[in-house]
Amino acid sequence: LVLSRDGAVWVTGWNKYGQLGDGLTAYTSKFFKTVSSGARAFAAGDLHSVVVKDDGSVWVTGRNNNGQLGDGSTTDRSNYVNVMPGGVKAIAAGSRHSLLLKQDGSVWATGKNSKGQLGDGTRVAKRTLFFVRTIRGAKVVAAGGYHSMILTRNGHVWATGWNKYGQLGDGSASDSIKSRSKFVQVMSSGATAVHAGDAHSIV
């Protein structure tokens, strides 16, 4: 996915589950436009895509077998569908889950939750976007393969989910705490950016 300055989203690549959002399931080797204008940010998961527009609305497409689109179903989509009417300032797409951060600092999540990556204290998958918690001053959400992270304006970092390889950065041994199901603070100051890979994190 590529976002141009005029708010258009351009896509290319594998499209078996409709993750390009063009109404088809055929792959392409050239970039073409699927959102014509109004996009502010995007996130690409393993097999799904998430776009937030200038009005704060969230649109999703692609694989949905674990509820990662958050539309209340497990039906794959090949066209973008609206799952949040507005108020969203940041988004992230993990392997099979999605995170939204609203203007009020509330974190919303949906999708696969087998490692606690949704941060709601369970390991039960969700098909609909739901409120997880509010973290004061939250400004960035990041989604790895099976873990999630939040960065606040004062440099705090919070994390939840799979931790077998220490990807949460909480100092725990991989054989003692292999996953967490609630967000815990793993850095208390100084962070300005955070990124989550498949099984590692960078701050």
Side-chain angles (χ1 to χ4, degrees):
L1 303 179
V2 172
L3 177 64
S4 60
R5 285 192 295 268
D6 61 0
V9 176
W10 297 73
V11 298
T12 190
W14 197 32
N15 195 30
K16 181 178 180 179
Y17 299 103
Q19 56 264 45
L20 299 187
D22 64 344
L24 304 173
T25 54
Y27 77 89
T28 177
S29 59
K30 291 184 178 180
F31 279 101
F32 65 95
K33 189 186 299 185
T34 55
V35 177
S36 59
S37 63
R40 174 159 43 92
F42 67 82
D46 187 15
L47 297 168
H48 71 292
S49 303
V50 185
V51 171
V52 59
K53 293 192 173 183
D54 290 332
D55 61 2
S57 62
V58 175
W59 300 74
V60 295
T61 189
R63 187 71 160 148
N64 196 30
N65 59 324
N66 294 113
Q68 55 263 55
L69 299 187
D71 65 352
S73 77
T74 55
T75 302
D76 299 341
R77 307 291 181 182
S78 59
N79 286 302
Y80 281 97
V81 295
N82 180 218
V83 292
M84 185 71 74
V88 174
K89 69 175 181 179
I91 54 177
S95 177
R96 290 169 177 81
H97 71 289
S98 302
L99 302 175
L100 307 183
L101 176 61
K102 300 191 78 172
Q103 296 288 350
D104 61 6
S106 62
V107 178
W108 297 66
T110 189
K112 193 174 181 68
N113 195 27
S114 59
K115 304 296 183 182
Q117 58 264 49
L118 301 187
D120 67 338
T122 77
R123 287 177 172 79
V124 179
K126 306 294 192 299
R127 299 179 182 180
T128 304
L129 281 161
F130 71 100
F131 168 76
V132 178
R133 64 172 297 169
T134 296
I135 293 183
R136 186 176 179 183
K139 69 174 185 176
V140 175
V141 286
Y146 298 91
H147 69 291
S148 303
M149 306 184 78
I150 298 171
L151 170 67
T152 67
R153 285 192 297 271
N154 57 7
H156 296 179
V157 177
W158 298 70
T160 188
W162 197 32
N163 195 38
K164 182 179 180 180
Y165 303 107
Q167 53 264 57
L168 300 188
D170 63 354
S172 64
S174 60
D175 59 350
S176 62
I177 301 179
K178 292 185 178 180
S179 68
R180 294 186 181 275
S181 61
K182 287 187 176 182
F183 281 99
V184 295
Q185 189 174 319
V186 295
M187 188 170 289
S188 60
S189 65
T192 59
V194 61
H195 296 275
D198 182 32
H200 74 292
S201 303
I202 301 175
V203 174

